[in-house]
Amino acid sequence: MTTERQPTLDTVAAEAGVSRATVSRVINGSPRVSPEARDLVEGTIARLGYVPNRAARTLASRRTDSVALVLREADATVLADPYLSAVIIATSQALVGTGVQLVLVNAQNDAEHQRVGEYVRSGHVDGVLLASMHADDPLPQMLVGSGVPVVVSGRPERHIPGLVYVDSDNVGGGQLATERLLSAGRTRVAHIAGPPDMTAAADRLTGYHRALARAGVRAGPVAFGDFTRASGESAMADLLSRGAEVDAVFAANDMMAIGALRALRATGRRVPDDVSLVGYDDIELAQHTEPSLTTVRQPVVHQARTMTELLLLQIGGQPPGDPVVLPTDLVPRDSG
């Protein structure tokens, strides 16, 4: 009785009429293969039923076939924030079919980021996606300086040569939200901003001021939150306790807008009759508030997919690309 031998890498190369090195490059995702050769090799692999030896690939290429998604927030924030949950899910989905696994890492402070940097530089993952970054974050510079493939979600506060990022148009989104309120005839527009050390929050604040300036409307009061529902409720209560006579509020994310809605109700103010309200992100919950929340949609799935594609290209040997800024759009509902 004879046992049929499993096809080897040499078998694939011989059948396809290419070199062993070309087959290896196709298997390892190298960009240094023509589309024709890639199609030929992949067709031969499928026809022969060749299964690459994963352990051998890892040893030869020093690849782990895993990437890390690093978030800099408290555990409770990550679990409770629908936007961050959407980022995690979208990133995981973007990796389906690539053979690459996602490792989720939460680093809340500089000490933990130092440990994450050491973990990554030791070769435990092939690259890193950074999200929810703050201005004083040491990881981007640390990883780029070590030659680790990295893509950042959101515009870094300062330019770092070799660092690619994917962002949404937060300035434009802030303008859209504010212009929506102005178009309803509102003239006393307050803003609940996010953390000032996060560029997304700073850019939305810039968009708010830009829309008001262009309309010739005086800027209203600003309070700061941390993108949580509780901070939005507290910020709204603070604005009202200052005696601010506002007829509209733009909150820098939906969770803070939902908190603001609660604070407005607690003081007997009706939304949108007395105060119009617009949020940001278009989380699922925004459809189910009472009234439903007008908001600005971020393309979370598109952003996660783009980040993942750019990271995999770097891992495959291509240089970092140019920054990508994706458009945002207004989602009108009943709150403003």
Side-chain angles (χ1 to χ4, degrees):
M1 181 177 179
T2 60
T3 302
E4 185 176 348
R5 295 181 61 186
Q6 293 294 319
T8 65
L9 188 144
D10 289 319
T11 309
V12 174
E15 285 287 322
V18 299
S19 69
R20 193 175 189 277
T22 297
V23 176
S24 179
R25 282 195 287 269
V26 171
I27 291 171
N28 287 306
S30 170
R32 295 186 296 116
V33 182
S34 70
E36 295 79 10
R38 186 180 302 280
D39 290 344
L40 175 61
V41 171
E42 288 177 346
T44 304
I45 287 173
R47 178 165 51 83
L48 296 178
Y50 172 65
V51 179
N53 183 320
R54 198 172 189 81
R57 283 177 60 193
T58 299
L59 287 172
S61 66
R62 298 186 181 274
R63 291 263 294 272
T64 65
D65 288 331
S66 62
V67 297
L69 171 61
V70 180
L71 303 170
R72 183 176 180 174
E73 298 294 345
D75 292 339
T77 299
V78 174
L79 293 173
D81 190 319
Y83 172 74
L84 292 178
S85 297
V87 169
I88 295 168
I89 293 169
T91 304
S92 180
Q93 291 175 338
L95 288 169
V96 170
T98 65
V100 176
Q101 303 300 313
L102 181 65
V103 178
L104 182 61
V105 181
N106 195 24
Q108 301 180 40
N109 53 48
D110 287 354
E112 291 186 3
H113 269 203
Q114 185 66 37
R115 287 193 290 272
V116 170
E118 293 169 358
Y119 171 82
V120 171
R121 288 180 294 182
S122 296
H124 294 288
V125 294
D126 299 324
V128 176
L129 299 165
L130 295 175
S132 193
M133 295 294 101
H134 294 254
D136 60 348
D137 196 328
L139 259 185
Q141 183 71 63
M142 185 190 309
L143 296 178
V144 170
S146 301
V148 175
V150 57
V151 178
V152 174
S153 173
R155 177 182 63 83
E157 185 185 48
R158 66 183 187 281
H159 174 68
I160 300 176
L163 180 67
V164 62
Y165 65 86
V166 180
D167 200 4
S168 60
D169 182 9
N170 287 297
V171 174
Q175 285 185 246
L176 284 174
T178 309
E179 287 167 355
R180 167 73 176 189
L181 297 168
L182 294 171
S183 69
R186 307 295 180 163
T187 58
R188 301 185 303 277
V189 184
H191 180 46
I192 300 177
D197 66 341
M198 298 185 74
T199 57
D203 286 349
R204 291 168 201 175
L205 177 59
T206 296
Y208 160 79
H209 281 298
R210 186 173 295 176
L212 292 174
R214 288 181 176 177
V217 174
R218 183 177 178 181
V222 176
F224 290 87
D226 62 6
F227 285 147
T228 63
R229 178 160 41 186
S231 75
E233 184 174 358
S234 177
M236 190 71 248
D238 175 56
L239 288 171
L240 296 175
S241 70
R242 296 185 214 166
E245 291 297 326
V246 301
D247 59 10
V249 178
F250 162 40
N253 81 336
D254 289 343
M255 292 301 288
M256 293 196 299
I258 292 169
L261 180 61
R262 181 172 179 177
L264 288 166
R265 278 186 178 155
T267 60
R269 290 170 171 84
R270 299 166 300 166
V271 175
D273 298 30
D274 301 319
V275 180
S276 293
L277 179 64
V278 174
Y280 202 106
D281 284 339
D282 192 29
I283 62 175
E284 184 178 0
L285 188 57
Q287 304 174 51
H288 305 295
T289 57
E290 182 57 44
S292 59
L293 185 64
T294 295
T295 186
V296 174
R297 180 188 293 121
Q298 291 201 84
V300 179
V301 174
H302 190 184
Q303 186 170 357
R305 185 183 302 120
T306 303
M307 289 177 62
T308 303
E309 290 172 353
L310 290 174
L311 184 65
L312 294 179
L313 287 172
Q314 284 190 57
I315 292 171
Q318 291 195 19
D322 295 324
V324 177
V325 179
L326 302 172
T328 53
D329 60 287
L330 184 77
V331 182
R333 294 195 180 101
D334 298 329
S335 67

